[in-house]
Amino acid sequence: MKFRALIFGALTMSAVGLAPAALLAQSLFGPAATVNDSVVTNYEVDQRAKFYKLIRRLGNLEKLALEDLIEDRLKSQAASSIGIEVDQNQLEAGMTEFAARADLKTPEFIKAIASEGVDVHTFRDFVRTGLLWRGVVQARFQGRVQISEAEIDAALGSSGQAGLRVLLSEIIIPVTPQTEEQVRDLANQISEIKSYRDFAEAARQYSASGSRNNDGRLEWLPLTRLPGPLQPVILELKPGEVTAPLELEGAIAVFQMRGIEEVPVKKAAIAAIEYGVLRLPGGRNPETIARAEEIRGNIDTCDDLYGVNFGGPEEALAIEARQPSEIPRGVALELAKLDRHEVSTALTSQDGSQLLFIMMCGRTATVNEEATREDVLNALRNRRLNSYADGYLEQLRADAVIEIK
């Protein structure tokens, strides 16, 4: 009897000891939502939120995670309904592509997220759903998207037809190795802005560009003025939308689309841009900025920079002509906003120790525009596909039975 009592007592104590863990497991793997009878668990929401934190997504991460997982169920169900699948090779390629954004190989990325409590399956599911949805969109809408040569010509502003010009607002935030983490977090927050007013306020508060005095607003710019890699990014924006943070030399930039329109233009692609960069020691300290403003007021042309640098180190001044694709992106962005003999002081060197005094000397036109046709074609196609995809996802959501627990 005593032996039986000890056994009963041990079992009772074990049951009591396991009860909190069991309840936790039940809660963790319980439903956070159902989507057409497909369950989204609390564990998935927790994992996705942790994943978003690691890739520096901002906002209410738990709320975003739940909303995105609900959409993922809709996307997966849509893929299943038309037989879209992702094989192992496609999945591995997608994971490799995503990990490369962090300059990591897939095993390194998996190890990094695992150290922060994110399971590899969370990463795999995230990538797999993206690939499935891409397949759904292409299968349903690819045939509807026909981009004509005339549309590409119009976007490029060639053959005397209508060209595209864009109305942007900008925020250029200086960055140094010491401030990199804080600036990245700030730029990520700005990229989530949804209103013109909030973007304007952020520009006044944080931007180093002269446009901050105008709420970050730029004048109309021909699309072809922008650096080639940036053109597709800008083309995909709708009015009010904001780019992800863009890496520049000594700065991070964020742009907001305010307008896009077609205008009659002459055929004038740019073969080369001549510009000068004078590196002023001191970075963005008040003395260096004051010196830059003094120089700006005392020179008229790029040749005058030689006089400014007279007696100084030769490497401090470079005046050269380059093809647009050869110009560093940050410098190219500043040059896009400048007319001949105008100046920008928004950028610094990578370590923040030098202020870059950038002066536009001149542009040389060419008739060869083939280098950007493929970019514009892909941007126009993706923009149209994204529009179809957004509409289809809204339709799926409207037709679904979704219950938040």
Side-chain angles (χ1 to χ4, degrees), residues 24-323:
L24 176 62
Q26 183 179 5
S27 172
L28 191 59
F29 290 96
T34 57
V35 185
N36 294 328
D37 296 327
S38 177
V39 174
V40 175
T41 67
N42 292 316
Y43 176 75
E44 289 177 286
V45 174
D46 178 69
Q47 282 281 295
R48 181 64 69 88
K50 288 178 179 177
F51 182 68
Y52 282 167
K53 183 177 180 180
L54 290 177
I55 62 175
R56 296 182 174 180
R57 188 168 179 184
L58 299 173
N60 185 329
L61 299 186
E62 286 75 18
K63 181 181 178 182
L64 290 172
L66 178 58
E67 291 173 351
D68 289 353
L69 284 165
I70 289 172
E71 288 193 352
D72 283 359
R73 290 295 191 273
L74 294 171
K75 292 173 179 179
S76 296
Q77 291 165 10
S80 178
S81 70
I82 58 175
I84 299 293
E85 297 180 350
V86 172
D87 63 33
Q88 188 61 29
N89 290 335
Q90 291 171 316
L91 179 58
E92 290 177 0
M95 294 170 68
T96 298
E97 178 185 348
F98 192 92
R101 300 177 191 175
D103 294 324
L104 296 174
K105 297 186 181 299
T106 302
E108 296 170 333
F109 187 82
I110 292 173
K111 183 178 179 180
I113 64 175
S115 69
E116 299 295 331
V118 178
D119 192 278
V120 63
H121 295 291
T122 298
F123 176 40
R124 285 193 183 120
D125 290 344
F126 177 82
V127 173
R128 179 184 287 109
T129 304
L131 293 172
L132 285 172
W133 185 240
R134 184 187 301 175
V136 170
V137 172
Q138 290 177 346
R140 288 186 63 92
F141 305 114
Q142 187 75 46
R144 299 189 195 178
V145 179
Q146 302 295 329
I147 308 298
S148 68
E149 291 297 316
E151 288 178 285
I152 300 173
D153 287 339
L156 287 167
S158 62
S159 303
Q161 299 179 31
L164 289 181
R165 66 175 187 171
V166 291
L167 193 61
L168 302 174
S169 293
E170 66 171 359
I171 296 175
I172 311 292
I173 311 173
V175 61
T176 66
Q178 295 74 30
T179 63
E180 181 177 1
E181 184 174 353
Q182 298 95 314
V183 171
R184 287 185 184 279
D185 287 343
L186 174 60
N188 279 325
Q189 292 179 52
I190 292 172
S191 70
E192 298 290 328
I193 286 177
K194 305 297 183 184
S195 74
Y196 296 119
R197 184 180 65 181
D198 289 346
F199 195 92
E201 182 178 340
R204 292 192 300 271
Q205 186 171 357
Y206 301 113
S207 184
S209 177
S211 62
R212 67 183 179 276
N213 297 322
N214 191 35
D215 295 342
R217 294 187 177 95
L218 301 174
E219 300 296 325
W220 284 100
L221 286 173
L223 181 68
T224 50
R225 278 269 196 103
L226 299 175
L230 183 59
Q231 292 179 19
V233 176
I234 296 299
L235 272 174
E236 291 182 1
L237 293 179
K238 301 172 185 174
E241 290 185 339
V242 177
T243 65
L246 302 170
E247 302 279 349
L248 308 180
E249 185 174 4
I252 293 179
V254 184
F255 292 88
Q256 183 179 49
M257 173 70 79
R258 295 183 2 251
I260 183 169
E261 67 178 19
E262 294 184 1
V263 292
V265 296
K266 295 179 180 179
K267 187 173 185 175
I270 304 303
I273 297 175
E274 185 181 15
Y275 64 99
V277 178
L278 178 64
R279 294 176 176 267
L280 301 176
R284 300 202 66 82
N285 67 45
E287 293 79 11
T288 306
I289 292 175
R291 171 63 175 151
E293 289 305 310
E294 179 186 359
I295 295 171
R296 188 199 301 260
N298 290 330
I299 65 174
D300 297 313
T301 71
C302 286
D303 288 342
D304 294 334
L305 291 172
Y306 290 111
V308 173
N309 195 50
F310 184 76
E314 290 186 10
E315 62 271 19
L317 174 64
I319 298 179
E320 56 188 339
R322 289 190 181 189
Q323 295 179 10

